[in-house]
């Protein structure tokens, strides 16, 4: 324990650690969460032409207004409530178009309309669908949703047993859907948490890449050999320090982001299904369950990535090379991903922090030993296992270099 505390204190005393943590906090919490809620994502529009940074600094009030408006249709999403939502938007747009755009989930609702009732679209119309679709013709919401889901799977060549497997998962989705204000949860689950996972890889690499390689940079290898604890105990203490720092960084960002979310959004709408964000999603999850999954994906991915970075750090003597190789683990697959076969893309997504927690909105599968496995099941487990496997190799690799 004493050795771990010394290593932990030494890691936090480094200027690189302090700067990385501060920049990470500013980028993900202050800019990515607090200002996002209060200003450029959820602040009300100044006018129709305003961009994200020209909005009013009134996100807290605007979010409450949107939630209250959506709750006026609250309860089960039925054909009747769907018709009422569209009819109310059209009425509001005639009186105050800016208010209609600001107050409602019109972008999401419009996507539903164009997907489910495509036959109502007028060729060459300059208006969005929600502005002119006849509310009385918006019927059979769940039947049409089932049809587009099956068509979506067929278009993705997911047929036969794979289609049957995915539809069995979808059967667990509770219907009818509970309706409320969607856009806040959409931003949180589609962008905010996913961005946090990808960004924290950079800061983890900066801090942990020096954990072992830094001993060579500081010329302390001979001191390690002379110490009464020896390389093995020190290596173990460094590994534990790296893992603890990973959890500390995650906890700091996650707790602050969640606190910001609760302050601005509260917990309203936690029980809405994720299908309100993407109709073809098959995940039998509500918004809260999806958020828990994505944060768990982030934590386990960070642990897996930490294991890889510490292995790289133990294998090279240069801080710079260790950092470059660590960043390459995450960012090279991201760069080359569009140019690879789809099967290879899915395989690379199993690398820690390369995949995405937003796979809960997708229908990707892996075919393993003749069985289909929905990708979110593997994305939350395999990356952490990869990191754990790397740890003993990191200890062994560093010991060999120290002994040389």
């Amino acid at each position: 324990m004493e050795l771990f505390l010394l290593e932990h204190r030494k890691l936090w005393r480094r200027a690189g650690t302090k700067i990385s943590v501060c920049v990470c906090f500013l980028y993900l919490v202050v800019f990515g969460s607090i200002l996002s809620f209060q200003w450029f994502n959820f602040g009300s529009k100044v006018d129709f032409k305003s961009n994200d940074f020209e909005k009013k600094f009134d996100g807290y009030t605007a979010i409450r207004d949107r939630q209250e408006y959506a709750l006026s249709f609250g309860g089960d999403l039925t054909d009747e409530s769907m018709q009422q939502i569209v009819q109310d938007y059209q009425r509001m747009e005639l009186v105050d178009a800016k208010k209609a755009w600001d107050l409602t989930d019109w972008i999401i609702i419009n996507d539903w309309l164009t997907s489910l009732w495509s036959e109502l679209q007028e060729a060459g119309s300059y208006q969005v669908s929600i502005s002119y679709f006849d509310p009385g013709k918006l019927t059979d919401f769940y039947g049409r949703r089932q049809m587009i889901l099956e068509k979506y799977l067929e278009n993705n060549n997911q047929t036969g047993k794979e289609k049957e497997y995915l539809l069995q998962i979808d059967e667990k989705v509770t219907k009818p859907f509970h309706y409320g204000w969607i856009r806040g949860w959409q931003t949180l689950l589609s962008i905010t948490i996913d961005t946090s996972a990808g960004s924290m890889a950079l800061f983890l690499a900066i801090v942990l890449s020096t954990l072992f390689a830094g001993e060579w940079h500081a010329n302390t290898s001979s001191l390690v050999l002379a110490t009464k604890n020896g390389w093995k105990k020190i290596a173990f203490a460094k590994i534990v320090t790296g893992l603890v720092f990973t959890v500390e960084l995650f906890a700091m960002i996650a707790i602050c982001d969640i606190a910001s979310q609760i302050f601005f959004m509260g917990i309203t709408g936690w029980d809405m299904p994720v299908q309100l964000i993407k109709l073809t999603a098959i995940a039998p999850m509500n918004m809260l369950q999806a958020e828990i999954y994505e944060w768990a994906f982030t934590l386990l991915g960070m642990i897996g990535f930490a294991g890889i970075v510490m292995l790289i750090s133990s294998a090279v003597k240069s801080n710079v090379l260790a950092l470059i190789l660590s960043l390459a683990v995450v960012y090279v697959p991201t760069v080359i991903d569009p140019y690879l076969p789809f099967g290879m893309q899915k395989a690379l997504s199993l690398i820690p922090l390369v995949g995405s927690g937003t796979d809960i909105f997708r229908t990707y599968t892996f075919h393993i030993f003749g069985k289909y496995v929905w990708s979110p099941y593997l994305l939350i487990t395999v990356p952490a296992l990869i990191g754990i496997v790397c740890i003993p190799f990191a200890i062994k690799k560093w010991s060999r270099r120290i002994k040389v």
Side-chain angles (χ1 to χ4, degrees):
M1 178 60 72
E2 182 181 356
L3 195 56
F4 157 71
L5 293 175
L6 288 173
E7 288 291 338
H8 186 261
R9 194 177 301 119
K10 183 169 71 173
L11 182 68
W12 274 100
R13 282 178 177 172
R14 292 175 182 169
T17 301
K18 295 176 181 177
I19 294 172
S20 295
V21 170
C22 287
V23 173
C24 183
F25 181 85
L26 288 172
Y27 177 63
L28 295 178
V29 177
V30 177
F31 188 80
S33 184
I34 297 174
L35 291 180
S36 170
F37 278 117
Q38 181 63 18
W39 179 23
F40 54 85
N41 262 331
F42 299 105
S44 56
K45 286 179 175 291
V46 176
D47 53 49
F48 285 110
K49 297 181 180 179
S50 60
N51 60 38
D52 286 344
F53 297 98
E54 291 176 331
K55 292 182 178 179
K56 297 178 183 178
F57 200 75
D58 64 348
Y60 181 87
T61 303
I63 288 171
R64 291 297 184 277
D65 291 341
R66 292 160 187 160
Q67 289 176 330
E68 185 177 351
Y69 173 76
L71 286 175
S72 66
F73 308 102
D76 294 339
L77 181 62
T78 62
D79 289 348
E80 291 74 19
S81 60
M82 184 72 202
Q83 293 167 5
Q84 187 181 358
I85 291 169
V86 174
Q87 187 175 22
D88 197 66
Y89 174 87
Q90 292 175 354
R91 177 194 58 77
M92 190 186 305
E93 188 180 42
L94 291 175
V95 178
D96 188 344
K98 178 181 172 297
K99 181 180 179 181
W101 283 45
D102 245 352
L103 193 61
T104 69
D105 269 323
W106 72 271
I107 295 178
I108 296 172
I109 303 299
N110 194 70
D111 285 342
W112 295 356
L113 297 178
T114 55
S115 297
L116 298 177
W117 294 279
S118 57
E119 73 276 7
L120 300 180
Q121 287 185 288
E122 296 177 0
S125 175
Y126 66 92
Q127 291 181 298
V128 293
S129 300
I130 194 172
S131 296
Y132 68 87
F133 274 22
D134 181 358
K137 296 181 179 180
L138 306 179
T139 58
D140 195 24
F141 180 94
Y142 296 100
R144 286 173 177 262
R145 185 252 171 193
Q146 187 68 24
M147 288 175 59
I148 66 164
L149 172 58
E150 294 185 15
K151 184 176 180 181
Y152 175 79
L153 295 176
E154 291 172 1
N155 290 340
N156 287 340
N157 294 319
Q158 294 179 296
T159 57
K161 291 184 178 180
E162 184 178 12
K163 178 181 177 181
E164 182 181 345
Y165 167 72
L166 294 171
L167 291 178
Q168 285 175 353
I169 297 176
D170 181 69
E171 287 177 1
K172 300 176 184 177
V173 176
T174 302
K175 303 180 185 70
F177 302 158
H178 184 76
Y179 178 75
W181 183 58
I182 306 166
R183 189 178 156 224
W185 289 99
Q186 180 193 45
T187 300
L188 182 71
L189 298 177
S190 301
I191 301 173
T192 305
I193 302 176
D194 192 48
T195 299
S196 296
S199 299
M200 281 193 279
L202 169 63
F203 301 106
L204 268 183
I206 292 173
V207 175
L208 298 186
S209 60
T210 64
L211 200 61
F212 289 103
E215 299 292 354
W216 296 98
H217 182 75
N219 293 318
T220 59
S221 57
S222 58
L223 183 61
V224 171
L225 283 173
T227 183
K228 65 176 182 179
N229 293 301
W231 61 265
K232 205 163 194 176
K233 289 184 178 180
I234 293 177
F236 184 75
K238 285 180 177 293
I239 292 292
V240 175
T241 296
L243 294 176
V244 169
F245 173 80
T246 300
V247 175
E248 288 172 337
L249 180 63
F250 167 82
M252 180 186 71
I253 299 302
I255 291 173
C256 292
D257 272 356
I258 293 171
S260 173
Q261 168 198 341
I262 292 174
F263 175 79
F264 285 101
M265 283 178 47
I267 59 172
T268 303
W270 69 269
D271 54 347
M272 295 187 297
V274 297
Q275 283 68 31
L276 295 185
I277 295 176
K278 186 176 181 180
L279 287 176
T280 54
I282 62 170
M285 297 180 179
N286 59 37
M287 301 296 186
L288 179 59
Q289 291 169 330
E291 181 176 5
I292 292 172
Y293 174 89
E294 291 196 17
W295 280 122
F297 167 87
T298 302
L299 174 59
L300 294 174
M302 289 175 66
I303 290 173
F305 183 64
I308 294 176
V309 173
M310 288 187 286
L311 174 59
I312 293 172
S313 180
S314 70
V316 301
K317 295 183 178 182
S318 168
N319 285 343
V320 175
L321 180 59
L323 175 59
I324 292 173
L325 293 176
S326 297
L327 293 176
V329 170
V330 172
Y331 296 112
V332 168
T334 303
V335 171
I336 66 174
D337 183 82
Y339 309 102
L340 297 175
F342 184 61
M344 184 64 70
Q345 292 177 16
K346 291 196 296 182
L348 290 178
S349 70
L350 297 176
I351 298 174
L353 299 181
V354 172
S356 172
T358 59
D359 262 32
I360 55 174
F361 297 105
R362 304 187 181 108
T363 59
Y364 298 160
T365 62
F366 290 85
H367 197 229
I368 303 174
F369 301 122
K371 299 287 185 179
Y372 287 102
V373 180
W374 187 38
S375 64
Y377 295 146
L378 295 181
L379 289 177
I380 202 172
T381 53
V382 173
L385 292 175
I386 291 174
I388 292 171
V389 168
C390 287
I391 288 174
F393 289 99
I395 296 174
K396 192 173 183 179
K397 189 70 176 178
W398 193 61
S399 70
R400 287 179 178 176
R401 299 188 72 89
I402 286 292
K403 290 178 180 179
V404 173

